[in-house]
PDB file of all heavy atoms in Angstrom:
ATOM      1  N   THR Y 283       1.220  -6.005  21.261  1.00 73.00           N
ATOM      2  CA  THR Y 283       2.025  -6.396  20.105  1.00 73.00           C
ATOM      3  C   THR Y 283       2.036  -5.287  19.067  1.00 73.00           C
ATOM      4  O   THR Y 283       3.091  -4.936  18.531  1.00 73.00           O
ATOM      5  CB  THR Y 283       1.482  -7.700  19.490  1.00 73.00           C
ATOM      6  OG1 THR Y 283       1.480  -8.712  20.494  1.00 73.00           O
ATOM      7  CG2 THR Y 283       2.316  -8.140  18.308  1.00 73.00           C
ATOM      8  N   ARG Y 284       0.883  -4.719  18.774  1.00 74.00           N
ATOM      9  CA  ARG Y 284       0.788  -3.626  17.807  1.00 74.00           C
ATOM     10  C   ARG Y 284       1.624  -2.435  18.280  1.00 74.00           C
ATOM     11  O   ARG Y 284       2.343  -1.828  17.496  1.00 74.00           O
ATOM     12  CB  ARG Y 284      -0.668  -3.209  17.632  1.00 74.00           C
ATOM     13  CG  ARG Y 284      -0.873  -2.180  16.534  1.00 74.00           C
ATOM     14  CD  ARG Y 284      -2.328  -1.769  16.331  1.00 74.00           C
ATOM     15  NE  ARG Y 284      -3.257  -2.872  16.267  1.00 74.00           N
ATOM     16  CZ  ARG Y 284      -4.272  -3.057  17.125  1.00 74.00           C
ATOM     17  NH1 ARG Y 284      -4.489  -2.214  18.097  1.00 74.00           N
ATOM     18  NH2 ARG Y 284      -5.070  -4.097  16.997  1.00 74.00           N
ATOM     19  N   GLU Y 285       1.537  -2.131  19.554  1.00 80.00           N
ATOM     20  CA  GLU Y 285       2.304  -1.002  20.094  1.00 80.00           C
ATOM     21  C   GLU Y 285       3.803  -1.268  20.014  1.00 80.00           C
ATOM     22  O   GLU Y 285       4.582  -0.366  19.702  1.00 80.00           O
ATOM     23  CB  GLU Y 285       1.891  -0.727  21.537  1.00 80.00           C
ATOM     24  CG  GLU Y 285       0.515  -0.105  21.652  1.00 80.00           C
ATOM     25  CD  GLU Y 285       0.034   0.011  23.091  1.00 80.00           C
ATOM     26  OE1 GLU Y 285       0.717  -0.499  24.011  1.00 80.00           O
ATOM     27  OE2 GLU Y 285      -1.033   0.609  23.289  1.00 80.00           O
ATOM     28  N   GLU Y 286       4.198  -2.508  20.301  1.00 79.00           N
ATOM     29  CA  GLU Y 286       5.616  -2.852  20.230  1.00 79.00           C
ATOM     30  C   GLU Y 286       6.141  -2.722  18.802  1.00 79.00           C
ATOM     31  O   GLU Y 286       7.227  -2.208  18.574  1.00 79.00           O
ATOM     32  CB  GLU Y 286       5.851  -4.275  20.752  1.00 79.00           C
ATOM     33  CG  GLU Y 286       5.681  -4.398  22.246  1.00 79.00           C
ATOM     34  CD  GLU Y 286       5.640  -5.834  22.721  1.00 79.00           C
ATOM     35  OE1 GLU Y 286       5.607  -6.769  21.893  1.00 79.00           O
ATOM     36  OE2 GLU Y 286       5.645  -6.027  23.952  1.00 79.00           O
ATOM     37  N   VAL Y 287       5.350  -3.177  17.847  1.00 79.00           N
ATOM     38  CA  VAL Y 287       5.765  -3.075  16.443  1.00 79.00           C
ATOM     39  C   VAL Y 287       5.856  -1.605  16.040  1.00 79.00           C
ATOM     40  O   VAL Y 287       6.833  -1.186  15.412  1.00 79.00           O
ATOM     41  CB  VAL Y 287       4.807  -3.857  15.516  1.00 79.00           C
ATOM     42  CG1 VAL Y 287       5.090  -3.548  14.051  1.00 79.00           C
ATOM     43  CG2 VAL Y 287       4.934  -5.347  15.777  1.00 79.00           C
ATOM     44  N   LEU Y 288       4.857  -0.811  16.408  1.00 81.00           N
ATOM     45  CA  LEU Y 288       4.890   0.621  16.076  1.00 81.00           C
ATOM     46  C   LEU Y 288       6.056   1.321  16.767  1.00 81.00           C
ATOM     47  O   LEU Y 288       6.714   2.180  16.171  1.00 81.00           O
ATOM     48  CB  LEU Y 288       3.568   1.295  16.445  1.00 81.00           C
ATOM     49  CG  LEU Y 288       2.391   0.967  15.535  1.00 81.00           C
ATOM     50  CD1 LEU Y 288       1.102   1.584  16.070  1.00 81.00           C
ATOM     51  CD2 LEU Y 288       2.650   1.447  14.125  1.00 81.00           C
ATOM     52  N   GLU Y 289       6.299   0.956  18.015  1.00 82.00           N
ATOM     53  CA  GLU Y 289       7.426   1.535  18.746  1.00 82.00           C
ATOM     54  C   GLU Y 289       8.744   1.202  18.043  1.00 82.00           C
ATOM     55  O   GLU Y 289       9.587   2.075  17.830  1.00 82.00           O
ATOM     56  CB  GLU Y 289       7.454   0.987  20.178  1.00 82.00           C
ATOM     57  CG  GLU Y 289       8.603   1.505  21.020  1.00 82.00           C
ATOM     58  CD  GLU Y 289       8.649   0.859  22.402  1.00 82.00           C
ATOM     59  OE1 GLU Y 289       7.625   0.305  22.853  1.00 82.00           O
ATOM     60  OE2 GLU Y 289       9.716   0.906  23.027  1.00 82.00           O
ATOM     61  N   ALA Y 290       8.899  -0.048  17.661  1.00 82.00           N
ATOM     62  CA  ALA Y 290      10.118  -0.455  16.960  1.00 82.00           C
ATOM     63  C   ALA Y 290      10.201   0.214  15.594  1.00 82.00           C
ATOM     64  O   ALA Y 290      11.270   0.679  15.185  1.00 82.00           O
ATOM     65  CB  ALA Y 290      10.161  -1.979  16.814  1.00 82.00           C
ATOM     66  N   LEU Y 291       9.088   0.274  14.896  1.00 84.00           N
ATOM     67  CA  LEU Y 291       9.055   0.916  13.578  1.00 84.00           C
ATOM     68  C   LEU Y 291       9.451   2.382  13.685  1.00 84.00           C
ATOM     69  O   LEU Y 291      10.213   2.894  12.863  1.00 84.00           O
ATOM     70  CB  LEU Y 291       7.655   0.777  12.970  1.00 84.00           C
ATOM     71  CG  LEU Y 291       7.472   1.185  11.522  1.00 84.00           C
ATOM     72  CD1 LEU Y 291       8.347   0.319  10.611  1.00 84.00           C
ATOM     73  CD2 LEU Y 291       6.022   1.046  11.110  1.00 84.00           C
ATOM     74  N   ASN Y 292       8.967   3.056  14.708  1.00 86.00           N
ATOM     75  CA  ASN Y 292       9.289   4.473  14.895  1.00 86.00           C
ATOM     76  C   ASN Y 292      10.744   4.697  15.297  1.00 86.00           C
ATOM     77  O   ASN Y 292      11.257   5.811  15.165  1.00 86.00           O
ATOM     78  CB  ASN Y 292       8.349   5.111  15.911  1.00 86.00           C
ATOM     79  CG  ASN Y 292       6.960   5.296  15.351  1.00 86.00           C
ATOM     80  OD1 ASN Y 292       6.784   5.473  14.152  1.00 86.00           O
ATOM     81  ND2 ASN Y 292       5.963   5.231  16.211  1.00 86.00           N
ATOM     82  N   LYS Y 293      11.409   3.666  15.778  1.00 88.00           N
ATOM     83  CA  LYS Y 293      12.827   3.782  16.139  1.00 88.00           C
ATOM     84  C   LYS Y 293      13.747   3.632  14.927  1.00 88.00           C
ATOM     85  O   LYS Y 293      14.921   3.964  15.006  1.00 88.00           O
ATOM     86  CB  LYS Y 293      13.204   2.738  17.192  1.00 88.00           C
ATOM     87  CG  LYS Y 293      12.665   3.044  18.575  1.00 88.00           C
ATOM     88  CD  LYS Y 293      13.104   1.993  19.569  1.00 88.00           C
ATOM     89  CE  LYS Y 293      12.566   2.296  20.957  1.00 88.00           C
ATOM     90  NZ  LYS Y 293      12.978   1.278  21.933  1.00 88.00           N
ATOM     91  N   LEU Y 294      13.205   3.114  13.836  1.00 89.00           N
ATOM     92  CA  LEU Y 294      14.013   2.955  12.628  1.00 89.00           C
ATOM     93  C   LEU Y 294      14.360   4.322  12.050  1.00 89.00           C
ATOM     94  O   LEU Y 294      13.560   5.244  12.135  1.00 89.00           O
ATOM     95  CB  LEU Y 294      13.244   2.167  11.562  1.00 89.00           C
ATOM     96  CG  LEU Y 294      13.021   0.688  11.798  1.00 89.00           C
ATOM     97  CD1 LEU Y 294      12.148   0.107  10.687  1.00 89.00           C
ATOM     98  CD2 LEU Y 294      14.333  -0.055  11.867  1.00 89.00           C
ATOM     99  N   PRO Y 295      15.524   4.444  11.438  1.00 91.00           N
ATOM    100  CA  PRO Y 295      15.835   5.692  10.727  1.00 91.00           C
ATOM    101  C   PRO Y 295      14.791   5.907   9.629  1.00 91.00           C
ATOM    102  O   PRO Y 295      14.262   4.946   9.067  1.00 91.00           O
ATOM    103  CB  PRO Y 295      17.218   5.431  10.110  1.00 91.00           C
ATOM    104  CG  PRO Y 295      17.759   4.238  10.817  1.00 91.00           C
ATOM    105  CD  PRO Y 295      16.596   3.466  11.359  1.00 91.00           C
ATOM    106  N   GLU Y 296      14.503   7.164   9.327  1.00 90.00           N
ATOM    107  CA  GLU Y 296      13.435   7.472   8.370  1.00 90.00           C
ATOM    108  C   GLU Y 296      13.640   6.786   7.029  1.00 90.00           C
ATOM    109  O   GLU Y 296      12.693   6.287   6.428  1.00 90.00           O
ATOM    110  CB  GLU Y 296      13.316   8.982   8.163  1.00 90.00           C
ATOM    111  CG  GLU Y 296      12.145   9.351   7.288  1.00 90.00           C
ATOM    112  CD  GLU Y 296      11.941  10.841   7.159  1.00 90.00           C
ATOM    113  OE1 GLU Y 296      12.228  11.567   8.108  1.00 90.00           O
ATOM    114  OE2 GLU Y 296      11.498  11.255   6.085  1.00 90.00           O
ATOM    115  N   SER Y 297      14.889   6.705   6.555  1.00 89.00           N
ATOM    116  CA  SER Y 297      15.143   6.097   5.248  1.00 89.00           C
ATOM    117  C   SER Y 297      14.754   4.621   5.228  1.00 89.00           C
ATOM    118  O   SER Y 297      14.330   4.102   4.195  1.00 89.00           O
ATOM    119  CB  SER Y 297      16.608   6.259   4.851  1.00 89.00           C
ATOM    120  OG  SER Y 297      17.442   5.566   5.761  1.00 89.00           O
ATOM    121  N   LEU Y 298      14.880   3.943   6.354  1.00 91.00           N
ATOM    122  CA  LEU Y 298      14.483   2.535   6.436  1.00 91.00           C
ATOM    123  C   LEU Y 298      12.995   2.403   6.737  1.00 91.00           C
ATOM    124  O   LEU Y 298      12.311   1.546   6.179  1.00 91.00           O
ATOM    125  CB  LEU Y 298      15.297   1.809   7.510  1.00 91.00           C
ATOM    126  CG  LEU Y 298      16.804   1.725   7.284  1.00 91.00           C
ATOM    127  CD1 LEU Y 298      17.470   0.972   8.430  1.00 91.00           C
ATOM    128  CD2 LEU Y 298      17.130   1.067   5.956  1.00 91.00           C
ATOM    129  N   ARG Y 299      12.492   3.264   7.622  1.00 90.00           N
ATOM    130  CA  ARG Y 299      11.081   3.191   8.014  1.00 90.00           C
ATOM    131  C   ARG Y 299      10.172   3.432   6.810  1.00 90.00           C
ATOM    132  O   ARG Y 299       9.213   2.696   6.605  1.00 90.00           O
ATOM    133  CB  ARG Y 299      10.790   4.211   9.114  1.00 90.00           C
ATOM    134  CG  ARG Y 299       9.359   4.176   9.597  1.00 90.00           C
ATOM    135  CD  ARG Y 299       9.084   5.109  10.767  1.00 90.00           C
ATOM    136  NE  ARG Y 299       9.318   6.487  10.406  1.00 90.00           N
ATOM    137  CZ  ARG Y 299      10.205   7.284  10.987  1.00 90.00           C
ATOM    138  NH1 ARG Y 299      10.936   6.835  11.985  1.00 90.00           N
ATOM    139  NH2 ARG Y 299      10.368   8.523  10.600  1.00 90.00           N
ATOM    140  N   ILE Y 300      10.492   4.424   5.994  1.00 91.00           N
ATOM    141  CA  ILE Y 300       9.581   4.789   4.908  1.00 91.00           C
ATOM    142  C   ILE Y 300       9.500   3.698   3.841  1.00 91.00           C
ATOM    143  O   ILE Y 300       8.427   3.410   3.329  1.00 91.00           O
ATOM    144  CB  ILE Y 300       9.936   6.173   4.317  1.00 91.00           C
ATOM    145  CG1 ILE Y 300       8.732   6.738   3.573  1.00 91.00           C
ATOM    146  CG2 ILE Y 300      11.123   6.122   3.412  1.00 91.00           C
ATOM    147  CD1 ILE Y 300       7.584   7.094   4.452  1.00 91.00           C
ATOM    148  N   VAL Y 301      10.634   3.023   3.540  1.00 92.00           N
ATOM    149  CA  VAL Y 301      10.564   1.943   2.546  1.00 92.00           C
ATOM    150  C   VAL Y 301       9.748   0.777   3.085  1.00 92.00           C
ATOM    151  O   VAL Y 301       9.020   0.125   2.337  1.00 92.00           O
ATOM    152  CB  VAL Y 301      11.954   1.460   2.055  1.00 92.00           C
ATOM    153  CG1 VAL Y 301      12.674   2.534   1.291  1.00 92.00           C
ATOM    154  CG2 VAL Y 301      12.794   0.913   3.165  1.00 92.00           C
ATOM    155  N   LEU Y 302       9.859   0.515   4.375  1.00 88.00           N
ATOM    156  CA  LEU Y 302       9.084  -0.572   4.983  1.00 88.00           C
ATOM    157  C   LEU Y 302       7.595  -0.230   4.995  1.00 88.00           C
ATOM    158  O   LEU Y 302       6.757  -1.097   4.716  1.00 88.00           O
ATOM    159  CB  LEU Y 302       9.584  -0.840   6.404  1.00 88.00           C
ATOM    160  CG  LEU Y 302       9.411  -2.239   6.937  1.00 88.00           C
ATOM    161  CD1 LEU Y 302       9.980  -3.285   6.004  1.00 88.00           C
ATOM    162  CD2 LEU Y 302      10.038  -2.377   8.301  1.00 88.00           C
ATOM    163  N   VAL Y 303       7.260   1.007   5.280  1.00 89.00           N
ATOM    164  CA  VAL Y 303       5.858   1.430   5.248  1.00 89.00           C
ATOM    165  C   VAL Y 303       5.308   1.284   3.833  1.00 89.00           C
ATOM    166  O   VAL Y 303       4.219   0.745   3.633  1.00 89.00           O
ATOM    167  CB  VAL Y 303       5.710   2.887   5.744  1.00 89.00           C
ATOM    168  CG1 VAL Y 303       4.337   3.453   5.408  1.00 89.00           C
ATOM    169  CG2 VAL Y 303       5.963   2.965   7.246  1.00 89.00           C
ATOM    170  N   PHE Y 304       6.070   1.750   2.836  1.00 91.00           N
ATOM    171  CA  PHE Y 304       5.620   1.624   1.449  1.00 91.00           C
ATOM    172  C   PHE Y 304       5.465   0.160   1.051  1.00 91.00           C
ATOM    173  O   PHE Y 304       4.499  -0.219   0.406  1.00 91.00           O
ATOM    174  CB  PHE Y 304       6.604   2.296   0.485  1.00 91.00           C
ATOM    175  CG  PHE Y 304       6.528   3.801   0.463  1.00 91.00           C
ATOM    176  CD1 PHE Y 304       7.584   4.543  -0.021  1.00 91.00           C
ATOM    177  CD2 PHE Y 304       5.409   4.481   0.901  1.00 91.00           C
ATOM    178  CE1 PHE Y 304       7.523   5.924  -0.069  1.00 91.00           C
ATOM    179  CE2 PHE Y 304       5.328   5.860   0.859  1.00 91.00           C
ATOM    180  CZ  PHE Y 304       6.388   6.586   0.370  1.00 91.00           C
ATOM    181  N   LYS Y 305       6.419  -0.682   1.442  1.00 90.00           N
ATOM    182  CA  LYS Y 305       6.413  -2.088   1.022  1.00 90.00           C
ATOM    183  C   LYS Y 305       5.337  -2.895   1.754  1.00 90.00           C
ATOM    184  O   LYS Y 305       4.561  -3.613   1.134  1.00 90.00           O
ATOM    185  CB  LYS Y 305       7.799  -2.706   1.267  1.00 90.00           C
ATOM    186  CG  LYS Y 305       7.905  -4.153   0.848  1.00 90.00           C
ATOM    187  CD  LYS Y 305       7.881  -4.305  -0.649  1.00 90.00           C
ATOM    188  CE  LYS Y 305       8.024  -5.750  -1.053  1.00 90.00           C
ATOM    189  NZ  LYS Y 305       7.277  -6.050  -2.252  1.00 90.00           N
ATOM    190  N   GLU Y 306       5.300  -2.794   3.068  1.00 86.00           N
ATOM    191  CA  GLU Y 306       4.443  -3.662   3.860  1.00 86.00           C
ATOM    192  C   GLU Y 306       3.021  -3.129   4.038  1.00 86.00           C
ATOM    193  O   GLU Y 306       2.077  -3.896   4.055  1.00 86.00           O
ATOM    194  CB  GLU Y 306       5.066  -3.917   5.242  1.00 86.00           C
ATOM    195  CG  GLU Y 306       6.432  -4.575   5.181  1.00 86.00           C
ATOM    196  CD  GLU Y 306       6.432  -5.926   4.489  1.00 86.00           C
ATOM    197  OE1 GLU Y 306       5.400  -6.627   4.497  1.00 86.00           O
ATOM    198  OE2 GLU Y 306       7.475  -6.291   3.921  1.00 86.00           O
ATOM    199  N   TYR Y 307       2.878  -1.818   4.206  1.00 84.00           N
ATOM    200  CA  TYR Y 307       1.557  -1.272   4.487  1.00 84.00           C
ATOM    201  C   TYR Y 307       0.871  -0.728   3.234  1.00 84.00           C
ATOM    202  O   TYR Y 307      -0.320  -0.876   3.073  1.00 84.00           O
ATOM    203  CB  TYR Y 307       1.637  -0.189   5.561  1.00 84.00           C
ATOM    204  CG  TYR Y 307       2.089  -0.738   6.885  1.00 84.00           C
ATOM    205  CD1 TYR Y 307       3.356  -0.460   7.382  1.00 84.00           C
ATOM    206  CD2 TYR Y 307       1.252  -1.547   7.646  1.00 84.00           C
ATOM    207  CE1 TYR Y 307       3.776  -0.971   8.598  1.00 84.00           C
ATOM    208  CE2 TYR Y 307       1.666  -2.066   8.858  1.00 84.00           C
ATOM    209  CZ  TYR Y 307       2.931  -1.768   9.334  1.00 84.00           C
ATOM    210  OH  TYR Y 307       3.329  -2.279  10.533  1.00 84.00           O
ATOM    211  N   ALA Y 308       1.633  -0.082   2.350  1.00 87.00           N
ATOM    212  CA  ALA Y 308       1.044   0.451   1.117  1.00 87.00           C
ATOM    213  C   ALA Y 308       1.066  -0.590   0.009  1.00 87.00           C
ATOM    214  O   ALA Y 308       0.497  -0.371  -1.053  1.00 87.00           O
ATOM    215  CB  ALA Y 308       1.792   1.698   0.675  1.00 87.00           C
ATOM    216  N   GLU Y 309       1.757  -1.698   0.247  1.00 87.00           N
ATOM    217  CA  GLU Y 309       1.839  -2.814  -0.694  1.00 87.00           C
ATOM    218  C   GLU Y 309       2.357  -2.380  -2.068  1.00 87.00           C
ATOM    219  O   GLU Y 309       1.871  -2.825  -3.096  1.00 87.00           O
ATOM    220  CB  GLU Y 309       0.476  -3.503  -0.816  1.00 87.00           C
ATOM    221  CG  GLU Y 309      -0.001  -4.086   0.500  1.00 87.00           C
ATOM    222  CD  GLU Y 309      -1.429  -4.609   0.448  1.00 87.00           C
ATOM    223  OE1 GLU Y 309      -2.104  -4.458  -0.591  1.00 87.00           O
ATOM    224  OE2 GLU Y 309      -1.860  -5.169   1.466  1.00 87.00           O
ATOM    225  N   MET Y 310       3.347  -1.504  -2.049  1.00 90.00           N
ATOM    226  CA  MET Y 310       3.968  -1.054  -3.298  1.00 90.00           C
ATOM    227  C   MET Y 310       5.091  -2.022  -3.658  1.00 90.00           C
ATOM    228  O   MET Y 310       5.690  -2.638  -2.775  1.00 90.00           O
ATOM    229  CB  MET Y 310       4.532   0.355  -3.116  1.00 90.00           C
ATOM    230  CG  MET Y 310       3.470   1.415  -2.871  1.00 90.00           C
ATOM    231  SD  MET Y 310       4.160   3.026  -2.438  1.00 90.00           S
ATOM    232  CE  MET Y 310       4.934   3.481  -3.976  1.00 90.00           C
ATOM    233  N   ASN Y 311       5.402  -2.127  -4.944  1.00 92.00           N
ATOM    234  CA  ASN Y 311       6.520  -2.975  -5.330  1.00 92.00           C
ATOM    235  C   ASN Y 311       7.814  -2.152  -5.307  1.00 92.00           C
ATOM    236  O   ASN Y 311       7.791  -0.929  -5.154  1.00 92.00           O
ATOM    237  CB  ASN Y 311       6.268  -3.645  -6.692  1.00 92.00           C
ATOM    238  CG  ASN Y 311       6.175  -2.659  -7.832  1.00 92.00           C
ATOM    239  OD1 ASN Y 311       6.901  -1.672  -7.896  1.00 92.00           O
ATOM    240  ND2 ASN Y 311       5.274  -2.928  -8.759  1.00 92.00           N
ATOM    241  N   TYR Y 312       8.937  -2.839  -5.461  1.00 93.00           N
ATOM    242  CA  TYR Y 312      10.239  -2.184  -5.348  1.00 93.00           C
ATOM    243  C   TYR Y 312      10.409  -1.069  -6.379  1.00 93.00           C
ATOM    244  O   TYR Y 312      10.952  -0.006  -6.085  1.00 93.00           O
ATOM    245  CB  TYR Y 312      11.366  -3.201  -5.501  1.00 93.00           C
ATOM    246  CG  TYR Y 312      11.416  -4.225  -4.395  1.00 93.00           C
ATOM    247  CD1 TYR Y 312      11.263  -5.580  -4.661  1.00 93.00           C
ATOM    248  CD2 TYR Y 312      11.626  -3.844  -3.067  1.00 93.00           C
ATOM    249  CE1 TYR Y 312      11.306  -6.529  -3.647  1.00 93.00           C
ATOM    250  CE2 TYR Y 312      11.672  -4.777  -2.053  1.00 93.00           C
ATOM    251  CZ  TYR Y 312      11.510  -6.122  -2.348  1.00 93.00           C
ATOM    252  OH  TYR Y 312      11.561  -7.039  -1.344  1.00 93.00           O
ATOM    253  N   LYS Y 313       9.948  -1.318  -7.576  1.00 93.00           N
ATOM    254  CA  LYS Y 313      10.089  -0.322  -8.642  1.00 93.00           C
ATOM    255  C   LYS Y 313       9.310   0.951  -8.307  1.00 93.00           C
ATOM    256  O   LYS Y 313       9.818   2.064  -8.470  1.00 93.00           O
ATOM    257  CB  LYS Y 313       9.601  -0.916  -9.965  1.00 93.00           C
ATOM    258  CG  LYS Y 313       9.838  -0.041 -11.164  1.00 93.00           C
ATOM    259  CD  LYS Y 313       9.431  -0.752 -12.435  1.00 93.00           C
ATOM    260  CE  LYS Y 313       9.751   0.090 -13.658  1.00 93.00           C
ATOM    261  NZ  LYS Y 313       9.394  -0.610 -14.893  1.00 93.00           N
ATOM    262  N   GLU Y 314       8.081   0.780  -7.827  1.00 92.00           N
ATOM    263  CA  GLU Y 314       7.264   1.935  -7.464  1.00 92.00           C
ATOM    264  C   GLU Y 314       7.894   2.723  -6.316  1.00 92.00           C
ATOM    265  O   GLU Y 314       7.930   3.954  -6.348  1.00 92.00           O
ATOM    266  CB  GLU Y 314       5.855   1.475  -7.055  1.00 92.00           C
ATOM    267  CG  GLU Y 314       5.042   0.908  -8.180  1.00 92.00           C
ATOM    268  CD  GLU Y 314       3.756   0.254  -7.718  1.00 92.00           C
ATOM    269  OE1 GLU Y 314       3.714  -0.288  -6.575  1.00 92.00           O
ATOM    270  OE2 GLU Y 314       2.797   0.255  -8.505  1.00 92.00           O
ATOM    271  N   ILE Y 315       8.394   2.007  -5.335  1.00 93.00           N
ATOM    272  CA  ILE Y 315       9.028   2.676  -4.197  1.00 93.00           C
ATOM    273  C   ILE Y 315      10.240   3.470  -4.675  1.00 93.00           C
ATOM    274  O   ILE Y 315      10.448   4.619  -4.268  1.00 93.00           O
ATOM    275  CB  ILE Y 315       9.432   1.655  -3.109  1.00 93.00           C
ATOM    276  CG1 ILE Y 315       8.187   0.961  -2.529  1.00 93.00           C
ATOM    277  CG2 ILE Y 315      10.233   2.332  -1.999  1.00 93.00           C
ATOM    278  CD1 ILE Y 315       8.488  -0.242  -1.671  1.00 93.00           C
ATOM    279  N   GLY Y 316      11.031   2.860  -5.543  1.00 93.00           N
ATOM    280  CA  GLY Y 316      12.207   3.542  -6.083  1.00 93.00           C
ATOM    281  C   GLY Y 316      11.836   4.814  -6.817  1.00 93.00           C
ATOM    282  O   GLY Y 316      12.504   5.845  -6.674  1.00 93.00           O
ATOM    283  N   ARG Y 317      10.766   4.759  -7.591  1.00 93.00           N
ATOM    284  CA  ARG Y 317      10.342   5.946  -8.332  1.00 93.00           C
ATOM    285  C   ARG Y 317       9.867   7.038  -7.393  1.00 93.00           C
ATOM    286  O   ARG Y 317      10.144   8.213  -7.600  1.00 93.00           O
ATOM    287  CB  ARG Y 317       9.252   5.586  -9.329  1.00 93.00           C
ATOM    288  CG  ARG Y 317       9.817   4.738 -10.481  1.00 93.00           C
ATOM    289  CD  ARG Y 317       8.806   4.442 -11.503  1.00 93.00           C
ATOM    290  NE  ARG Y 317       8.589   5.643 -12.333  1.00 93.00           N
ATOM    291  CZ  ARG Y 317       7.684   5.710 -13.277  1.00 93.00           C
ATOM    292  NH1 ARG Y 317       6.923   4.671 -13.537  1.00 93.00           N
ATOM    293  NH2 ARG Y 317       7.528   6.807 -13.984  1.00 93.00           N
ATOM    294  N   VAL Y 318       9.146   6.666  -6.344  1.00 92.00           N
ATOM    295  CA  VAL Y 318       8.649   7.659  -5.386  1.00 92.00           C
ATOM    296  C   VAL Y 318       9.806   8.325  -4.640  1.00 92.00           C
ATOM    297  O   VAL Y 318       9.835   9.538  -4.460  1.00 92.00           O
ATOM    298  CB  VAL Y 318       7.672   7.010  -4.371  1.00 92.00           C
ATOM    299  CG1 VAL Y 318       7.378   7.948  -3.221  1.00 92.00           C
ATOM    300  CG2 VAL Y 318       6.393   6.609  -5.083  1.00 92.00           C
ATOM    301  N   LEU Y 319      10.784   7.511  -4.234  1.00 92.00           N
ATOM    302  CA  LEU Y 319      11.886   8.034  -3.427  1.00 92.00           C
ATOM    303  C   LEU Y 319      13.058   8.540  -4.271  1.00 92.00           C
ATOM    304  O   LEU Y 319      13.996   9.133  -3.728  1.00 92.00           O
ATOM    305  CB  LEU Y 319      12.380   6.958  -2.446  1.00 92.00           C
ATOM    306  CG  LEU Y 319      11.356   6.493  -1.409  1.00 92.00           C
ATOM    307  CD1 LEU Y 319      11.937   5.383  -0.558  1.00 92.00           C
ATOM    308  CD2 LEU Y 319      10.895   7.651  -0.541  1.00 92.00           C
ATOM    309  N   GLY Y 320      13.026   8.266  -5.559  1.00 93.00           N
ATOM    310  CA  GLY Y 320      14.109   8.715  -6.430  1.00 93.00           C
ATOM    311  C   GLY Y 320      15.398   7.924  -6.233  1.00 93.00           C
ATOM    312  O   GLY Y 320      16.489   8.470  -6.330  1.00 93.00           O
ATOM    313  N   ILE Y 321      15.243   6.622  -5.935  1.00 93.00           N
ATOM    314  CA  ILE Y 321      16.416   5.750  -5.756  1.00 93.00           C
ATOM    315  C   ILE Y 321      16.227   4.517  -6.642  1.00 93.00           C
ATOM    316  O   ILE Y 321      15.137   4.253  -7.131  1.00 93.00           O
ATOM    317  CB  ILE Y 321      16.623   5.346  -4.276  1.00 93.00           C
ATOM    318  CG1 ILE Y 321      15.397   4.615  -3.713  1.00 93.00           C
ATOM    319  CG2 ILE Y 321      16.966   6.569  -3.420  1.00 93.00           C
ATOM    320  CD1 ILE Y 321      15.549   4.118  -2.291  1.00 93.00           C
ATOM    321  N   SER Y 322      17.303   3.755  -6.808  1.00 94.00           N
ATOM    322  CA  SER Y 322      17.229   2.575  -7.667  1.00 94.00           C
ATOM    323  C   SER Y 322      16.433   1.454  -7.007  1.00 94.00           C
ATOM    324  O   SER Y 322      16.301   1.398  -5.785  1.00 94.00           O
ATOM    325  CB  SER Y 322      18.637   2.074  -7.991  1.00 94.00           C
ATOM    326  OG  SER Y 322      19.215   1.486  -6.843  1.00 94.00           O
ATOM    327  N   GLU Y 323      15.935   0.563  -7.836  1.00 93.00           N
ATOM    328  CA  GLU Y 323      15.188  -0.593  -7.342  1.00 93.00           C
ATOM    329  C   GLU Y 323      16.073  -1.445  -6.436  1.00 93.00           C
ATOM    330  O   GLU Y 323      15.632  -1.959  -5.411  1.00 93.00           O
ATOM    331  CB  GLU Y 323      14.683  -1.397  -8.540  1.00 93.00           C
ATOM    332  CG  GLU Y 323      13.685  -2.453  -8.210  1.00 93.00           C
ATOM    333  CD  GLU Y 323      13.122  -3.144  -9.447  1.00 93.00           C
ATOM    334  OE1 GLU Y 323      13.113  -2.551 -10.539  1.00 93.00           O
ATOM    335  OE2 GLU Y 323      12.694  -4.309  -9.296  1.00 93.00           O
ATOM    336  N   GLY Y 324      17.343  -1.597  -6.804  1.00 93.00           N
ATOM    337  CA  GLY Y 324      18.284  -2.358  -5.984  1.00 93.00           C
ATOM    338  C   GLY Y 324      18.478  -1.728  -4.616  1.00 93.00           C
ATOM    339  O   GLY Y 324      18.550  -2.431  -3.602  1.00 93.00           O
TER     340      GLY Y 324
END
């Protein structure tokens, strides 16, 4: 299961993968992620 999730996660485009990593694994909020990536919270 872990391998399948990682495999699927690695198939995501980087712009989608990185926000998911920040949100789900780093437990950052939307505002923090936006500031790190230089994009809006929306």
Side-chain angles (χ1 to χ4, degrees):
T283 303
R284 186 179 313 119
E285 288 173 354
E286 289 169 353
V287 170
L288 287 175
E289 179 184 341
L291 189 62
N292 288 331
K293 287 181 180 180
L294 289 176
E296 185 175 328
S297 63
L298 297 180
R299 181 175 62 240
I300 200 68
V301 294
L302 208 52
V303 166
F304 284 160
K305 181 71 178 146
E306 300 300 332
Y307 295 108
E309 299 172 356
M310 294 172 68
N311 64 39
Y312 295 119
K313 187 175 184 178
E314 292 170 330
I315 296 168
R317 290 183 76 184
V318 168
L319 297 177
I321 59 177
S322 72
E323 191 175 335

